[in-house]
């Protein structure tokens, strides 16, 4: 690409990526147990389709939901369902949830799913159906259902597919490892996605600090010979990997406030998602495995592993040499947008791109929170062009309506404002709190409207029943009057 644009704010952060890329990608050992939470997304639960004592195969459907934003869950290996029970799940709250537990049998026997190497022969609806049934979600961390992004929208023509390989958060290198080791999977997955969207242009974005990944993709692209796909080396500025920021860098287009990339004719998919699409459509493999970076100063041998979804984190730590004496905090995700975990018994999920074990320099360097001095550094760093100091005041005062008016929903929770704040205010925590309050209010509004609707329906039904009752009483009176008249006449 000849021209690139820039976005507002952003930070140059210490990357800490070389510690996990110095080792080649390798498969993680098959765990003794696999654990699958039935909570798919906030408010969306899957229903277990298996029962304790049942033998399952790798790739077998074990849970699903008919919710539009739900995706199926498949067993990552063969074994026996030992329980459906409460277990710790990956959530900042540390709460438990219903989980399917599978004891693996070591044989790894698969279910056979149809493969479609000639995917061009499929119509777009069939491709979307395969992607949905394979349980594919965005593997960059958001875990949004991939098939939903591919559904055509009225008055929103898509022109460009962007494959996001801009892995901008420190420590995380799973996408870089994928692009270096399996570039053909990423490129062919991009071709499948373009076919599903019915478009003829794709840009694969790679950060300029990933020369090996760029070279591998370039070589694979030359071998495949698809002129509709181009590579772009983008500056390493956090958070370039944010969807809106990457669209701005590659196209110069600004996604409108409250809008989605489709509003500017773009669909973004993560590099790992593209590879998963290739494996599902062309190879007949549902999403049961992904690459995860296990890293940080608290890990003896940081590296990237190809991991069965549902594997307990403790297994991965053990395969990376265990914890070091510096281990202080366990985080799922990166240091900017990840969240701390209370135990390593929690299983990895589809959205798990990194297991980070931080050391005392990260944990013990906490500074006391001081009053906001309105310096404006947070606004300068904000890639979403918001006013974090205003959002902070309204969030702190629980005036979430005013925070909403200042485009709170556009906050991507990247943490740039936290890093630059001289008063050490945990701004993102306040924003998450305010978003939660808004979601709660929206839910209450929906419940109120539903209750109002039920009341109206009940009132209408009662009025109808009263009217019918009155009509029956009237007819009965008329009949009695008629009978009385007939009796009198006969007398």
């Amino acid at each position: 690409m000849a021209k690139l644009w820039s976005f507002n704010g952003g930070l140059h952060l210490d990357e800490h990526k070389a510690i996990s890329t110095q080792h080649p990608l390798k498969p993680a050992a098959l765990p003794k147990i696999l654990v699958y939470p039935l909570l798919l997304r906030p408010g969306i639960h899957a229903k277990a389709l298996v029962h304790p004592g049942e033998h399952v195969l790798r790739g077998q459907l074990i849970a699903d939901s008919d919710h539009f934003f739900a995706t199926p869950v498949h067993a990552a290996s063969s074994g026996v369902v030992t329980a459906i029970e409460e277990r710790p799940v990956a959530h900042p709250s540390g709460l438990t949830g219903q989980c399917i537990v599978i004891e693996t049998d070591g044989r790894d026997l698969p279910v056979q799913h149809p493969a479609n190497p000639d995917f061009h022969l499929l119509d777009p609806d069939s491709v979307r159906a395969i992607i949905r049934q394979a349980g594919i979600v965005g593997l960059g961390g958001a875990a949004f259902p991939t098939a939903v992004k591919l559904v055509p929208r009225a008055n929103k023509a898509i022109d460009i597919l962007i494959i996001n390989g801009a892995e901008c958060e420190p420590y995380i290198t799973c996408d870089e490892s994928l692009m270096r080791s399996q570039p053909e999977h990423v490129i062919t997955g991009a071709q499948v996605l373009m076919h599903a969207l019915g478009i003829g242009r794709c840009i694969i974005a790679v950060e300029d600090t990933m020369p090996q990944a760029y070279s591998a993709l370039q070589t694979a692209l030359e071998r495949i010979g698809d002129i509709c796909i181009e590579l772009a080396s983008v500056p390493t500025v956090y958070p370039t990997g944010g969807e809106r920021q990457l669209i701005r860098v590659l196209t110069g287009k600004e996604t409108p406030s409250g809008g989605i990339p489709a509003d500017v004719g773009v669909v973004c998919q993560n590099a790992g998602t593209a590879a998963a699409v290739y494996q599902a459509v062309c190879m007949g493999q549902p999403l049961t495995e992904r690459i995860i970076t296990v890293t940080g100063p608290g890990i003896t041998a940081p590296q990237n592993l190809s991991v069965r979804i549902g594997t307990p984190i403790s297994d991965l730590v053990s395969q990376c040499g265990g914890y070091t004496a510096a281990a202080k905090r366990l985080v799922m995700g990166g240091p900017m947008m990840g969240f701390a975990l209370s135990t390593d018994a929690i299983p990895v999920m589809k959205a798990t791109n990194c297991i980070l074990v931080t050391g005392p320099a990260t944990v013990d360097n906490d500074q006391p929170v001081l009053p906001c001095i309105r310096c404006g550094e947070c606004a300068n760093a904000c890639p979403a062009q918001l006013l974090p100091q205003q959002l902070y005041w309204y969030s702190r005062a629980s005036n979430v309506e005013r925070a909403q008016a200042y485009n709170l929903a556009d906050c991507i929770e990247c943490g740039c404002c936290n890093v630059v704040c001289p008063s050490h205010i945990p701004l993102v925590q306040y924003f998450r709190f305010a978003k939660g309050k808004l979601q709660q209010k929206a839910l209450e509004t929906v419940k109120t409207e539903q209750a109002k609707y039920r009341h109206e329906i009940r009132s209408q039904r009662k009025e109808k029943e009263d009217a019918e009752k009155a009509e029956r009483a009237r007819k009965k009176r008329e009949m009695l009057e008629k009978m009385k008249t007939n009796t009198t006449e006969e007398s």
Side-chain angles (χ1 to χ4, degrees):
M1 289 188 64
K3 182 174 177 58
L4 295 175
W5 286 260
S6 60
F7 58 87
N8 182 79
L11 299 172
H12 292 276
L13 302 173
D14 293 335
E15 292 192 310
H16 304 289
K17 292 179 181 273
I19 60 173
S20 59
T21 56
Q22 60 185 330
H23 301 291
L25 173 67
K26 71 176 186 179
L30 184 66
K32 293 182 178 179
I33 65 166
L34 295 164
V35 182
Y36 298 96
L38 293 178
L39 176 63
L40 303 178
R41 296 175 63 80
I44 302 177
H45 290 80
K47 178 182 178 182
L49 304 178
V50 292
H51 54 80
E54 182 175 347
H55 187 270
V56 297
L57 301 175
R58 179 177 185 180
Q60 179 177 331
L61 183 66
I62 59 173
D64 202 357
S65 166
D66 58 4
H67 195 285
F68 183 67
F69 292 110
T71 49
V73 180
H74 302 80
S77 188
S78 58
V80 176
V81 178
T82 58
I84 300 177
E85 62 186 12
E86 289 284 321
R87 284 192 171 234
V89 296
H91 193 273
S93 65
L95 297 177
T96 61
Q98 281 283 299
C99 300
I100 299 173
V101 183
I102 298 173
E103 183 179 322
T104 58
D105 58 17
R107 295 184 292 171
D108 208 24
L109 301 173
V111 170
Q112 297 300 321
H113 294 277
N116 300 276
D118 297 324
F119 63 88
H120 291 100
L121 301 178
L122 299 172
D123 61 81
D125 285 340
S126 297
V127 173
R128 287 190 289 270
I130 293 171
I131 291 172
R132 194 272 170 193
Q133 196 57 35
I136 298 176
V137 298
L139 299 185
F144 190 83
T146 300
V148 174
K149 277 191 173 184
L150 304 177
V151 175
R153 291 173 171 82
N155 303 319
K156 292 182 180 178
I158 303 301
D159 305 309
I160 304 174
L161 168 68
I162 293 177
I163 300 299
N164 187 351
E167 200 167 37
C168 57
E169 190 160 1
Y171 287 102
I172 307 176
T173 60
C174 57
D175 289 342
E176 180 180 358
S177 177
L178 168 68
M179 293 184 290
R180 285 165 59 170
S181 61
Q182 302 169 14
E184 294 88 353
H185 291 194
V186 176
I187 292 170
T188 308
Q191 292 177 318
V192 175
L193 290 167
M194 282 195 293
H195 178 62
L197 290 166
I199 61 173
R201 187 186 178 197
C202 172
I203 305 172
I204 301 179
V206 182
E207 285 187 302
D208 56 14
T209 52
M210 301 179 183
Q212 289 178 288
Y214 187 93
S215 177
L217 287 167
Q218 189 174 46
T219 300
L221 193 54
E222 290 171 356
R223 184 166 56 250
I224 293 171
D226 192 333
I227 61 173
C228 295
I229 300 177
E230 55 188 305
L231 295 180
S233 179
V234 298
T236 304
V237 180
Y238 178 81
T240 299
E243 196 171 57
R244 293 168 181 247
Q245 288 68 44
L246 188 58
I247 292 171
R248 168 66 185 171
V249 168
L250 294 175
T251 70
K253 297 178 180 180
E254 293 281 359
T255 306
S257 176
I260 59 175
D263 294 328
V264 292
V266 177
V267 166
C268 272
Q269 297 286 3
N270 172 262
T273 307
V277 166
Y278 159 73
Q279 291 161 0
V281 176
C282 300
M283 301 176 65
Q285 297 176 358
L287 181 56
T288 61
E289 192 169 346
R290 66 156 298 155
I291 299 173
I292 296 176
T293 305
V294 185
T295 186
I299 292 292
T300 300
Q303 58 192 287
N304 285 285
L305 298 172
S306 185
V307 179
R308 308 296 178 100
I309 293 166
T311 300
I313 292 172
S314 56
D315 283 43
L316 304 183
V317 172
S318 176
Q319 291 177 58
C320 292
Y323 297 109
T324 69
K328 293 294 181 180
R329 180 177 294 167
L330 179 65
V331 176
M332 183 173 285
M336 300 295 288
M337 299 183 72
F339 56 90
L341 300 175
S342 58
T343 172
D344 60 10
I346 289 172
V348 297
M349 309 177 298
K350 296 176 183 180
T352 307
N353 56 6
C354 180
I355 299 299
L356 172 65
V357 183
T358 59
T362 305
V363 177
D364 299 336
N365 197 33
D366 294 334
Q367 299 291 328
V369 176
L370 303 174
C372 173
I373 60 174
R374 291 188 175 272
C375 63
E377 287 300 314
C378 55
N380 293 334
C382 179
Q385 302 185 62
L386 302 177
L387 295 174
Q389 70 270 33
Q390 293 299 123
L391 292 174
Y392 162 65
W393 288 115
Y394 292 129
S395 299
R396 182 180 176 181
S398 295
N399 190 348
V400 293
E401 289 80 8
R402 289 295 296 163
Q404 188 175 30
Y406 276 81
N407 300 322
L408 173 67
D410 289 344
C411 172
I412 61 174
E413 302 178 18
C414 64
C416 287
C417 54
N418 282 9
V419 172
V420 300
C421 179
S423 296
H424 313 294
I425 300 171
L427 295 164
V428 173
Q429 291 186 26
Y430 284 97
F431 304 156
R432 287 173 178 164
F433 165 78
K435 286 181 180 181
K437 292 283 286 186
L438 283 171
Q439 290 175 350
Q440 183 180 0
K441 291 190 72 170
L443 182 61
E444 290 173 353
T445 299
V446 170
K447 289 181 177 179
T448 300
E449 290 297 323
Q450 289 175 340
K452 181 180 178 182
Y453 175 75
R454 288 195 298 267
H455 175 72
E456 290 174 352
I457 294 297
R458 187 165 53 248
S459 297
Q460 291 173 6
R461 186 173 64 247
K462 190 174 186 308
E463 288 176 4
K464 182 179 179 181
E465 290 173 351
D466 290 345
E468 291 174 347
K469 184 178 179 180
E471 180 64 14
R472 288 195 299 270
R474 185 186 66 78
K475 289 181 178 180
K476 185 176 181 180
R477 286 196 302 272
E478 289 180 353
M479 183 180 66
L480 292 173
E481 288 292 334
K482 186 176 182 180
M483 292 174 61
K484 184 177 180 181
T485 302
N486 292 338
T487 302
T488 303
E489 292 175 352
E490 290 175 359
S491 301

